[in-house]
Amino acid sequence: MLIVTANDIPGHRIDEVLGEVFGLTVRSRNVGSNIGAGFKSLVGGELKGITKMLHDSRQEALERLTAETEARGGNAVLAFRFETTEYAGTGTEVCAYGTAVRISPA
């Protein structure tokens, strides 16, 4: 699966545009992570628990985007992006999105 942020792929032609695809996950932060983040904010530094949660969330969203693209018969995603939003003050929503296409070498 080729996933790019560009609108085209050099050396390939777009045979079919299959439409927009999404991969979405919403994760809550655990109590320990929130307490640790509160203390860390007093002295500064990386919030490792939250960094790991966001990394894992992005990976899960990307896997879901890939699965949706494959289910539609696509083999690539163009104009790929991530969007992250705080959800109800207790968690984080991560959305991976782009345009599913079927490509072949030019």
Side-chain angles (χ1 to χ4, degrees), residues 8-66:
D8 58 7
I9 302 170
H12 293 80
R13 70 173 175 267
I14 299 170
D15 298 320
E16 186 176 0
V17 175
L18 303 168
E20 53 191 31
V21 286
F22 299 91
L24 181 67
T25 186
V26 178
R27 296 207 177 181
S28 64
R29 290 170 260 180
N30 68 44
V31 172
S33 179
N34 282 340
I35 291 170
F39 287 131
K40 188 62 114 173
S41 69
L42 297 173
V43 296
E46 181 181 8
L47 305 175
K48 292 182 181 181
I50 294 174
T51 299
K52 181 176 178 0
M53 181 197 68
L54 287 171
H55 177 268
D56 293 348
S57 295
R58 287 174 74 122
Q59 283 302 120
E60 185 172 4
L62 185 58
E63 290 168 9
R64 291 177 179 179
L65 171 92
T66 300

Side-chain angles (χ1 to χ4, degrees), residues 1 18 21 64-77 100:
M1 173 78 51
L18 303 168
V21 286
R64 291 177 179 179
L65 171 92
T66 300
E68 184 175 338
T69 300
E70 289 173 347
R72 289 183 166 199
N75 61 355
V77 176

Side-chain angles (χ1 to χ4, degrees), residues 2-10 14 76-81 98-99 101:
L2 195 54
I3 300 174
V4 299
T5 58
N7 294 325
D8 58 7
I9 302 170
I14 299 170
V77 176
L78 302 178
F80 169 74
R81 303 287 187 270
T99 302
V101 296

